[in-house]
């Protein structure tokens, strides 16, 4: 029961993370590119302030739940859950080392002005965004696969399918 609860939490948190990053990649980034630069910078700076805590929380919960699932299981389940956990950690590292420093620069530009090479820097931010989105989706996909497969369960010898009892025969009958 504990393993299934952790697995459910891992699915929920990585799905939320992938969905949030996916929404950003599919909708926010094209919108950023379609509006005037000053509007993009102002909105981007404010959005990143709002996203700071929620997205870090989603990344942490995704990584911790998937890695906990790996610790509670064995065999290929452990490897799949561990891989999902490492991918969630990768999304955090990409964000922290790639996007966050650029977000700081964008925040400055919103109150001053963007430098001449701003387009290159914004393109780099977008590349980091797509990389962290891919990592989050891959983590979610691994956990979906782990949940839907039928060859090996988390701890027992039978996967998530229902166990059917065979009726016992009275002694002496064939």
């Amino acid at each position: 029961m504990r393993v299934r609860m952790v697995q459910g939490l891992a699915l929920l948190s990585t799905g939320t993370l992938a969905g949030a990053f996916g929404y950003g990649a599919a909708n926010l980034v094209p919108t950023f590119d379609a509006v005037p630069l000053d509007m993009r910078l102002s909105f981007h700076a404010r959005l990143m302030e709002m996203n700071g805590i929620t997205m870090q929380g989603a990344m942490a919960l995704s990584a911790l739940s998937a890695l906990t699932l790996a610790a509670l299981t064995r065999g290929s389940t452990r490897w799949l859950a561990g891989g999902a956990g490492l991918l969630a950690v990768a999304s955090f590292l990409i964000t922290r080392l790639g996007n966050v420093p650029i977000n700081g620069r964008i925040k400055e530009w919103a109150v001053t002005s963007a430098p001449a090479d701003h387009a290159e820097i914004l393109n780099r931010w977008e590349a980091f965004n797509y990389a962290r989105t891919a990592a989050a989706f891959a983590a979610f996909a691994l956990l979906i696969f782990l949940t839907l497969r039928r060859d090996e369960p988390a701890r027992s010898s039978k996967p998530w399918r229902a166990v059917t009892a065979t009726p016992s025969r009275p002694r002496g009958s064939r």
Side-chain angles (χ1 to χ4, degrees):
M1 180 66 147
R2 178 176 51 161
V3 169
R4 291 194 65 183
M5 290 180 67
V6 171
Q7 186 172 354
L9 180 61
L11 274 168
L12 178 63
S13 60
T14 57
T16 300
L17 182 65
F21 280 149
Y23 177 83
N27 295 297
L28 290 177
V29 171
T31 302
F32 283 162
D33 292 339
V35 299
L37 181 62
D38 62 331
M39 183 182 292
R40 178 203 176 140
L41 297 178
S42 296
F43 182 73
H44 189 121
R46 184 70 179 134
L47 181 64
M48 295 310 115
E49 287 175 21
M50 301 301 290
N51 280 351
I53 292 173
T54 56
M55 292 308 293
Q56 286 183 42
M59 287 182 277
L61 188 57
S62 294
L64 289 173
S65 60
L67 293 172
T68 299
L69 182 61
L72 293 174
T73 57
R74 62 179 187 256
S76 62
T77 299
R78 175 173 281 170
W79 287 105
L80 290 167
L86 292 176
L87 285 162
V89 169
S91 74
F92 171 78
L93 292 174
I94 293 165
T95 300
R96 194 76 191 125
L97 303 174
N99 296 93
V100 169
I102 296 172
N103 289 343
R105 294 173 78 180
I106 290 171
K107 189 175 181 179
E108 291 174 17
W109 303 344
V111 293
T112 59
S113 64
D117 65 342
H118 73 273
E120 177 187 321
I121 295 167
L122 293 175
N123 285 336
R124 200 165 0 125
W125 183 93
E126 289 177 16
F128 286 129
N129 187 58
Y130 292 130
R132 69 185 179 178
T133 301
F137 269 90
F140 186 41
L142 282 177
L143 290 167
I144 290 171
F145 175 75
L146 184 153
T147 301
L148 295 178
R149 70 198 178 118
R150 295 194 154 257
D151 60 342
E152 180 187 334
R155 278 250 186 228
S156 68
S157 62
K158 300 216 188 253
W160 305 108
R161 58 190 124 130
V163 176
T164 56
T166 28
S168 59
R169 290 186 232 163
R171 288 188 202 262
S173 65
R174 290 190 187 205

